[in-house]
Amino acid sequence: MATGQAGCAAVVRPATDPRFGDYQANGVMALAKQIKTNPRKLAESVVAQLDLSDLCEPPEVAGPGFVNLRLKPEYAATELLRIANEDGERLGIRPAASPQTIVADFSSPNIAKEMHVGHLRSTIIGDCLCRLLEFEGHRVVRQNHIGDWGTQFGRVILGLWHMCMAEKHGQPLYYRTELDGLRRLAKSGEDLKRLCQHILDRHEKDWRKDSTDLDNLGDGERCFHPFLKKLRERDPHEMWPEFLAVYQYVSLLEECASGMGLKIPTRDAGDKDYAYLSRHVTTMLQRLDRQEYDAWEYVTELTLDECFDIYTKLGVTFNRETDIRGESFYNDRLPAVVSDLRDSGLAVESNGAVCVFPPGFKTKEGEPLPFIIQKSDGAFLYATTDLAALRYRVNELKAGRIVYVTDARQIQHFQMLFKVAEMAGWDTRDGKKVELVHVTFGSVLGEDGRPLKTRSGENVKLKELLEEAVLRARQVVNDKSPELSDSQKDKIAEAVGIGAVKYADYSNSRTSDYVFSFDKMLAMDGNTAPYMQYAYARVRSIERKARTKGVDVRSELASIKTLNLSEPSELDLAKHLVRYAEAVESAIADYRPNYLTAYLYELAQQFSAFYTNCPVLDAPPATRPTRLLLCDQTARTIKHGLSTLLGIAVVEQM
Ligand code: ARG
């Protein structure tokens, strides 16, 4: 307007420093540069023509051409009252103008393995995004793309087969002893080959014997299959560590043996031709015999039992019937992915493999980078499955948007996936583009600044990490509130411990790495879960105290016609409360939970300043209802942010 130019962005942002107001418009400088004029002069002419009198004090020009905006107290007062009296729990947040069906792909651990901290991030960030998007009014379809196919599949079967053989030989734990041996020798070398040879010789004998049994009885019905059936009668919590051990045994054996050029005989290998274990895996993939299928199914269920224990602890909701859609689900759809891409000419053969070369992707040497969808031995890959999953989500789940939550190391995979989908036209339905989003995150580091590992260098198990958090939180609660009962303390410790782990993750910018520190995340001050939970409990204690003083909070709140914001700290708190929607909307727009935690932290601090300056229950009758409303709205907002949107439990007392 001031320039006669159309379509200029005002670029209004929350002010970085409250001394300059509540918002600042930064658009003038860029515009001034564009039309080659003095930015400060331009800002002054913008301000002269700007009428925001219903919302703001007269705008001010600052620095080289910023326009500072300060909300009017009357606006803050009426807006806060409006939000407080609104029906339901929207807290000023508007529903999305055009709700979509959004598929969220997150958590997605691999079967036969323990979940580690990398999965923690995908799981809780994904869960938070689902909560945010659902609250905004979208239909969210959760998809846990578990890695239940591929190399691990062969190891799962072979592992269970070893378990079966161990029982048959009456040495139920041979694999544990041998696993220890392999681990020890893998470090020192020397006798490793002898041990491997010993295992493989026995393996071969068993395998041949078993094969003969199979030939006589068909399909291994005599030995392996009955064994698998019996497994289901055992307690899954006892079987899980047992299974992990045998799985590691098979994996390490494979690693050692192939490193030494040793070969593992397989069922399909002819007399002369021994194959590597990985070949065995490939054959397994091609033929789904009953007992193999049963073995796989058993281990999938076993893994999911473990995962769901963790999801429940974390307050993450997955529906086991509908939301678990692992890689194996797409098996039948993989050949069509390859043939369709070949038919359209997008996929070509290169060194025996089938690949797409999306433009713009290069290897280090500057060669075109292939997106490989079929290996020369016919096997399909991670990429093939993701293409099949994408088609399924677009065409059958009717996604308008697909959001993938994985660590940043997969950036290139997803860039290529999205590009290939676009080239094939698979990212459109009924002529409309489906939005494809990759939400990435950094690593969790130990206090030494390196990826978080145990002392012995293994991945930190998520389950143990959470147990430790709760244990440490129990200590904090003990120190802080010795007067509470044991069962109260347990409940609070659970909320604080789990909350602390989640909050620490959310409050860091998700794209950065962060250092995992129990001491920091459990600190009672700073931007932590216990600080926020304590802030909430403190506000709630005012209401409890009111009751003992005979103050009827609800009826005072109901009687309010206008708010009386006379103290600066009341006004600051009120202004911050009306800006909740802004924080939530920006968290949704950028898929960044830390915008929400930063808002909540500031809210707790504003509240603290207000509560220090302004007596509430002892306030004069003219101001008490306003102050009670500020308390009540603070409690509602913290609770909504923490528990509804971040999935972190609040406690009434701490
Ligand atoms: N299973 C993979 C992992 O543990 C993550 C899968 C992510 N989702 C996907 N559609 N590729 O790294």
Side-chain angles (χ1 to χ4, degrees):
M1 206 161 53
T3 60
Q5 294 248 0
C8 310
V11 202
V12 178
R13 298 269 180 273
T16 45
D17 185 329
R19 280 175 303 169
F20 304 143
D22 300 310
Y23 298 89
Q24 61 194 39
N26 302 340
V28 172
M29 274 103 58
L31 184 61
K33 199 167 176 189
Q34 199 184 314
I35 60 171
K36 300 199 174 60
T37 181
N38 178 318
R40 215 178 142 105
K41 282 235 172 66
L42 180 60
E44 272 153 17
S45 83
V46 167
V47 162
Q49 296 180 50
L50 196 63
D51 181 15
L52 292 170
S53 55
D54 51 338
L55 281 179
C56 297
E57 308 281 9
E60 284 163 19
V61 177
F66 296 107
V67 177
N68 291 342
L69 304 168
R70 196 179 294 276
L71 291 177
K72 276 190 167 166
E74 306 84 71
Y75 170 76
T78 40
E79 184 63 4
L80 179 58
L81 197 57
R82 184 187 72 77
I83 294 172
N85 291 334
E86 222 172 38
D87 283 345
E89 282 289 322
R90 298 285 329 161
L91 297 155
I93 301 162
R94 286 177 302 267
S98 31
Q100 291 177 311
T101 293
I102 302 178
V103 170
D105 176 322
F106 67 106
S107 192
S108 311
N110 298 324
I111 63 158
K113 290 210 181 119
E114 203 112 38
M115 270 171 123
H116 56 73
V117 288
H119 296 118
L120 168 75
R121 298 211 75 185
S122 175
T123 303
I124 65 176
I125 294 171
D127 181 61
C128 174
L129 299 181
C130 291
R131 287 167 182 267
L132 287 165
L133 293 165
E134 262 166 358
F135 188 74
E136 216 192 9
H138 299 288
R139 189 172 85 89
V140 176
V141 182
R142 291 163 172 78
Q143 293 282 281
N144 194 334
H145 192 82
I146 59 170
D148 60 355
W149 207 252
T151 335
Q152 60 268 49
F153 178 91
R155 292 198 197 115
V156 161
I157 294 162
L158 208 53
L160 289 178
W161 181 78
H162 269 286
M163 250 189 201
C164 171
M165 288 302 125
E167 274 196 10
K168 186 170 155 188
H169 292 307
Q171 295 174 315
L173 291 179
Y174 78 61
Y175 48 87
R176 275 195 180 267
T177 327
E178 288 171 1
L179 174 61
D180 288 343
L182 287 172
R183 280 195 178 134
R184 215 174 38 246
L185 299 178
K187 286 203 187 95
S188 62
E190 266 317 276
D191 292 324
L192 180 61
K193 191 157 186 172
R194 200 165 344 130
L195 176 57
C196 286
Q197 196 63 60
H198 161 75
I199 297 173
L200 295 182
D201 287 346
R202 186 192 56 222
H203 181 119
E204 183 181 352
K205 243 178 32 227
D206 284 340
W207 195 269
R208 280 179 198 286
K209 178 99 178 49
D210 201 38
S211 300
T212 335
D213 287 350
L214 299 183
D215 288 344
N216 290 338
L217 288 158
D219 270 344
E221 291 295 323
R222 193 161 87 188
C223 196
F224 194 32
H225 206 208
F227 170 79
L228 290 174
K229 275 202 201 126
K230 276 210 317 261
L231 276 185
R232 291 176 188 267
E233 290 158 21
R234 299 190 203 170
D235 177 1
H237 287 107
E238 276 166 35
M239 285 313 294
W240 178 243
E242 213 46 47
F243 173 73
L244 284 179
V246 81
Y247 184 81
Q248 283 159 17
Y249 169 71
V250 171
S251 308
L252 187 57
L253 183 64
E254 180 190 19
E255 209 179 289
C256 295
S258 70
M260 293 182 300
L262 292 177
K263 293 170 182 191
I264 297 180
T266 76
R267 167 144 43 129
D268 285 325
D271 274 342
K272 285 166 254 99
D273 177 26
Y274 288 161
Y276 286 108
L277 176 61
S278 43
R279 273 276 293 285
H280 167 86
V281 170
T282 319
T283 22
M284 286 297 187
L285 289 173
Q286 281 154 1
R287 40 185 299 169
L288 257 189
D289 285 341
R290 261 254 321 274
Q291 76 266 30
E292 281 149 10
Y293 183 83
D294 281 1
W296 166 81
E297 192 182 45
Y298 172 73
V299 174
T300 305
E301 293 302 318
L302 201 60
T303 312
L304 286 177
D305 286 344
E306 284 296 307
C307 291
F308 272 85
D309 281 354
I310 292 176
Y311 296 151
T312 308
K313 244 188 163 18
L314 287 172
V316 167
T317 42
F318 271 119
N319 179 319
R320 194 151 166 172
E321 260 65 64
T322 55
D323 302 343
I324 308 297
R325 189 102 54 190
E327 297 181 9
S328 64
F329 175 81
Y330 302 100
N331 273 342
D332 315 345
R333 302 164 190 254
L334 302 179
V337 167
V338 175
S339 59
D340 289 354
L341 287 174
R342 268 175 177 270
D343 291 348
S344 63
L346 289 174
V348 291
E349 223 162 275
S350 167
N351 293 329
V354 184
C355 314
V356 182
F357 291 91
F361 293 91
K362 297 259 179 307
T363 64
K364 270 196 232 86
E365 290 74 38
E367 302 290 321
L369 186 67
F371 196 57
I372 309 175
I373 53 175
Q374 191 167 27
K375 287 204 288 197
S376 54
D377 64 5
F380 301 109
L381 293 104
Y382 189 57
T384 332
T385 310
D386 258 329
L387 282 167
L390 188 144
R391 284 175 110 180
Y392 170 77
R393 292 165 182 178
V394 170
N395 298 322
E396 287 168 65
L397 297 181
K398 310 277 181 221
R401 192 188 325 177
I402 311 177
V403 180
Y404 299 83
V405 188
T406 83
D407 71 68
R409 284 172 302 187
Q410 298 200 37
I411 284 181
Q412 190 175 59
H413 166 76
F414 282 100
Q415 283 173 341
M416 293 179 90
L417 175 72
F418 296 171
K419 188 79 208 159
V420 172
E422 186 193 329
M423 290 161 73
W426 292 350
D427 63 348
T428 50
R429 191 186 57 255
D430 305 330
K432 269 185 79 182
K433 271 253 184 246
V434 173
E435 233 180 300
L436 302 175
V437 186
H438 185 205
V439 172
T440 65
F441 51 82
S443 312
V444 182
L445 307 177
E447 308 223 24
D448 59 358
R450 316 243 299 233
L452 188 66
K453 291 273 147 87
T454 61
R455 280 224 180 79
S456 53
E458 284 156 55
N459 274 333
V460 174
K461 293 173 185 160
L462 196 42
K463 202 172 166 187
E464 289 168 10
L465 194 89
L466 297 177
E467 276 161 8
E468 185 169 350
V470 174
L471 220 64
R472 288 184 185 234
R474 184 68 159 78
Q475 195 58 49
V476 174
V477 178
N478 246 346
D479 296 346
K480 201 152 169 70
S481 317
E483 73 288 351
L484 297 175
S485 75
D486 274 351
S487 79
Q488 275 174 312
K489 283 182 191 164
D490 286 343
K491 200 177 148 233
I492 298 171
E494 183 81 19
V496 171
I498 302 296
V501 173
K502 293 181 74 173
Y503 193 94
D505 197 282
Y506 290 147
S507 59
N508 282 287
S509 158
R510 66 170 162 75
T511 41
S512 322
D513 298 346
Y514 74 92
V515 174
F516 189 95
S517 156
F518 278 123
D519 290 338
K520 273 210 198 103
M521 66 179 67
L522 285 167
M524 287 304 301
D525 45 48
N527 189 9
T528 66
Y531 175 78
M532 289 308 309
Q533 287 165 320
Y534 180 71
Y536 175 76
R538 185 162 121 182
V539 195
R540 297 288 291 155
S541 75
I542 299 169
E543 203 175 316
R544 276 197 301 277
K545 207 148 132 222
R547 235 172 285 138
T548 64
K549 288 193 160 195
V551 179
D552 185 349
V553 176
R554 292 298 129 193
S555 77
E556 279 201 30
L557 290 179
S559 73
I560 299 179
K561 298 276 180 304
T562 52
L563 291 183
N564 178 4
L565 302 168
S566 43
E567 291 290 324
S569 61
E570 289 174 326
L571 182 59
D572 287 345
L573 178 58
K575 278 183 180 176
H576 197 63
L577 282 167
V578 302
R579 293 172 66 178
Y580 182 54
E582 196 179 293
V584 171
E585 280 157 22
S586 67
I588 295 175
D590 285 1
Y591 306 97
R592 286 189 185 272
N594 67 314
Y595 293 174
L596 180 54
T597 55
Y599 171 89
L600 292 173
Y601 181 48
E602 197 185 328
L603 176 60
Q605 287 176 309
Q606 299 271 15
F607 178 79
S608 195
F610 153 77
Y611 196 52
T612 312
N613 293 324
C614 306
V616 176
L617 297 178
D618 298 327
T623 46
R624 190 165 75 185
T626 293
R627 292 184 181 173
L628 283 172
L629 185 131
L630 286 169
C631 291
D632 189 58
Q633 195 62 17
T634 300
R636 284 171 65 191
T637 308
I638 296 180
K639 182 172 181 183
H640 188 265
L642 276 188
S643 117
T644 307
L645 297 181
L646 298 174
I648 293 174
V650 292
V651 287
E652 296 298 313
Q653 211 178 337
M654 232 173 113

